[in-house]
């Protein structure tokens, strides 16, 4: 059973780390998963236009939901190394003008499947795919800059994963879907999606370890009004190095979109990110993230646009109650410049500060 639950951990390695065991009898284990995630955050944005005018917008601090979630995880031991798994997770989201973002509940994950201790696992449903494990810099709490170009959660996909030490691999495929990961209707429905990922982990010695990962996701969507279809293809690589209490990480992602607005148009997005984390004590750490981006859009007829920018986050968190209650303070700055046909249009500087808490169970 110990090997079974260790293997099942990899299936749900991107759900909340902690879980409360509700039932554990014989070959069956049912757990309550999730966490309460809230913060008080405020922001200010300054936009400087090419004509010299400036616009400032500030949002006063307000109590906000930060992806609070709850769910259940089932692991059922079968025989001869086989087991069944199931997972459901609900999240809160904002659907009105309120700033607390507790207006609605939607099903974030809903999947089930079968696995074998040696031959891997096969799952179907709404899944945080293998692509979500590629990122190495997503180490902050609320104000992370690691917004992935590589899409992580997919609806109605069939995914196979296997861990063959020291490598974990996965591949998935999904057909048509009219909803996105937030459970909302897509403007352009998905025609199909497929993706793959690989994660290599090497423990050099008790003080040093490295992890290298890569992934690819290709999606096709229907044009709701124009007809036809367009394609989004995303690549990503990541690496992290841990030396005792210090973690250094890097991610690079590129997304290419073709024929989205009109035939032969092209959108190119590049994103590179770095992260540094220092564990000061077993309960207290400090961290920082820095990223640069370049987004370009080219169309056969009409204007071309380009956006460049950088952003960073600094923060610290502390486990008030080890494993269960974590408090944090973070600051993020985002700076972007916009051009049309190589002519400067505006630059935007946004600053956000958040004080929050996460309660795990």
């Amino acid at each position: 059973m110990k090997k079974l639950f260790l293997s099942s951990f990899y299936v749900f390695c991107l759900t909340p780390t902690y879980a409360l065991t509700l039932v554990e009898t014989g070959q069956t284990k049912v757990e309550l998963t999730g966490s309460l995630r809230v913060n008080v955050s405020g922001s200010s944005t300054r936009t400087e236009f090419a004509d010299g005018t400036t616009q400032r917008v500030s949002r006063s601090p307000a109590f906000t939901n930060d992806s609070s979630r709850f769910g259940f995880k089932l692991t059922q031991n079968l025989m001869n190394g086989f087991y069944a798994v199931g997972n459901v997770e609900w999240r809160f989201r904002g659907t009105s003008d309120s700033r607390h973002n507790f207006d609605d509940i939607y099903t974030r994950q809903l999947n089930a499947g079968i696995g074998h201790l040696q031959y891997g696992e096969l799952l179907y449903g709404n899944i945080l795919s293998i692509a979500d494990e590629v990122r190495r810099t997503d180490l902050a709490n609320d104000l992370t800059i690691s917004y992935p170009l590589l899409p992580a959660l997919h609806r109605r996909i069939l995914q196979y994963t296997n861990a063959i030490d020291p490598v974990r691999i996965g591949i998935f495929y999904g057909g048509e879907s009219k909803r996105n990961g937030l459970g909302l209707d897509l403007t352009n429905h998905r025609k199909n999606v497929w993706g793959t990922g690989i994660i290599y982990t090497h423990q050099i010695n008790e003080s040093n370890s490295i992890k290298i990962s890569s992934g690819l996701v290709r999606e096709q969507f229907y044009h709701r009004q124009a007809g036809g279809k367009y394609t989004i293809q995303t690549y990503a690589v990541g690496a992290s190095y841990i030396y005792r209490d210090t973690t250094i990480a890097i991610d690079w992602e590129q997304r290419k979109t073709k024929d989205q607005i009109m035939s032969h148009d092209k959108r190119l997005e590049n994103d590179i990110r770095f992260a540094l984390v220092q564990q000061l004590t077993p309960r207290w750490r400090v961290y920082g993230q820095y990223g640069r981006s370049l987004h370009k859009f080219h169309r056969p007829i009409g204007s071309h646009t380009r956006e460049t920018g950088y952003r960073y986050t600094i923060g610290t968190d502390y486990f008030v109650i080890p494993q269960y209650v974590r408090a944090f303070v973070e600051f993020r700055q985002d700076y972007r410049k916009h051009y049309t046909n190589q002519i400067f249009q505006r630059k935007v500087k946004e600053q956000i500060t958040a004080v929050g808490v996460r309660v795990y169970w």
Side-chain angles (χ1 to χ4, degrees):
M1 285 294 289
K2 182 177 180 180
K3 290 183 178 180
L4 168 62
F5 293 128
L6 178 62
S7 179
S8 298
F9 168 79
Y10 288 109
V11 180
F12 304 108
C13 64
L14 298 168
T15 58
T17 305
Y18 310 103
L20 174 64
T21 299
L22 301 178
V23 177
E24 188 170 11
T25 58
Q27 307 300 310
T28 303
K29 186 174 184 180
V30 180
E31 298 169 283
L32 172 66
T33 63
S35 56
L36 174 66
R37 306 181 178 205
V38 295
N39 66 52
V40 176
S41 62
S43 65
S44 64
T45 304
R46 185 183 69 189
T47 304
E48 298 180 16
F49 297 93
D51 60 6
T53 60
T54 301
Q55 181 184 67
R56 291 181 172 87
V57 178
S58 297
R59 300 189 72 185
S60 58
F63 176 82
T64 308
N65 165 50
D66 176 29
S67 298
S68 297
R69 74 283 306 265
F70 65 95
F72 299 95
K73 180 171 66 177
L74 166 69
T75 307
Q76 174 67 50
N77 189 21
L78 300 176
M79 60 182 67
N80 299 324
F82 285 96
Y83 56 89
V85 292
N87 182 48
V88 59
E89 178 191 273
W90 294 277
R91 289 195 186 184
F92 293 90
R93 65 181 174 196
T95 54
S96 70
D97 293 333
S98 66
R99 293 182 60 186
H100 57 71
N101 289 332
F102 277 108
D103 306 301
D104 188 20
I105 298 177
Y106 72 101
T107 305
R108 175 75 169 181
Q109 295 191 65
L110 179 60
N111 53 74
I114 192 169
H116 188 273
L117 297 179
Q118 181 179 355
Y119 302 117
E121 298 151 337
L122 190 66
L123 294 178
Y124 177 76
N126 303 345
I127 303 171
L128 270 173
S129 71
I130 188 73
D132 195 52
E133 302 178 47
V134 174
R135 284 181 297 164
R136 305 263 64 85
T137 62
D138 190 20
L139 302 174
N141 288 283
D142 177 37
L143 301 184
T144 178
I145 66 169
S146 294
Y147 304 123
L149 299 180
L150 194 71
L153 186 133
H154 297 273
R155 295 181 59 86
R156 297 172 58 185
I157 65 170
L158 183 67
Q159 174 173 263
Y160 168 77
T161 58
N162 198 3
I164 307 173
D165 191 44
V167 176
R168 174 168 162 78
I169 60 174
I171 188 169
F172 62 87
Y173 175 82
E176 294 186 5
S177 177
K178 67 177 183 178
R179 294 182 179 176
N180 61 14
L182 297 177
L184 302 174
D185 286 344
L186 292 164
T187 301
N188 296 313
H189 294 174
R190 187 186 76 192
K191 182 179 185 293
N192 57 57
V193 60
W194 67 269
T196 184
I198 181 169
I199 297 93
Y200 169 80
T201 304
H202 178 56
Q203 187 73 39
I204 302 172
N205 53 44
E206 62 179 13
S207 301
N208 295 264
S209 64
I210 60 172
K211 185 172 287 188
I212 302 172
S213 55
S214 64
L216 163 66
V217 174
R218 187 176 189 274
E219 301 173 282
Q220 283 191 315
F221 295 89
Y222 293 110
H223 281 295
R224 185 173 182 178
Q225 296 178 340
K229 60 181 181 295
Y230 64 94
T231 303
I232 301 177
Q233 192 157 299
T234 312
Y235 314 85
V237 293
S240 60
Y241 171 68
I242 298 177
Y243 175 70
R244 294 184 178 177
D245 297 324
T246 304
T247 301
I248 302 172
I250 182 174
D251 285 326
W252 173 82
E253 296 180 339
Q254 182 181 86
R255 180 164 62 194
K256 296 181 178 180
T257 305
K258 296 182 179 180
D259 306 323
Q260 185 175 16
I261 306 300
M262 64 177 64
S263 181
H264 303 300
D265 66 24
K266 298 179 181 179
R267 187 186 304 273
L268 176 66
E269 300 165 88
N270 281 298
D271 202 353
I272 185 168
R273 303 182 296 268
F274 304 89
L276 175 64
V277 181
Q278 180 63 46
Q279 196 75 39
L280 302 177
T281 71
R283 298 166 64 174
W284 180 29
R285 66 171 187 159
V286 294
Y287 48 87
Q289 299 173 301
Y290 177 81
R292 297 195 69 91
S293 60
L294 170 62
H295 298 172
K296 297 191 295 185
F297 180 65
H298 177 274
R299 66 178 90 187
I301 302 174
S303 59
H304 313 317
T305 61
R306 179 166 62 94
E307 177 189 299
T308 61
Y310 70 85
R311 58 199 185 279
Y312 67 86
T313 289
I314 55 174
T316 182
D317 58 26
Y318 181 80
F319 267 106
V320 181
I321 302 176
Q323 297 187 340
Y324 295 103
V325 181
R326 180 169 65 188
F328 65 87
V329 179
E330 293 179 338
F331 171 81
R332 184 177 71 201
Q333 179 171 287
D334 193 342
Y335 181 81
R336 301 181 302 277
K337 287 185 177 181
H338 300 262
Y339 300 84
T340 300
N341 293 332
Q342 304 301 319
I343 300 174
F344 171 75
Q345 300 295 313
R346 65 189 182 278
K347 57 183 178 181
V348 181
K349 182 179 181 181
E350 181 184 41
Q351 296 179 330
I352 306 176
T353 302
V355 178
V357 63
R358 293 187 174 187
V359 180
Y360 303 91
W361 50 76

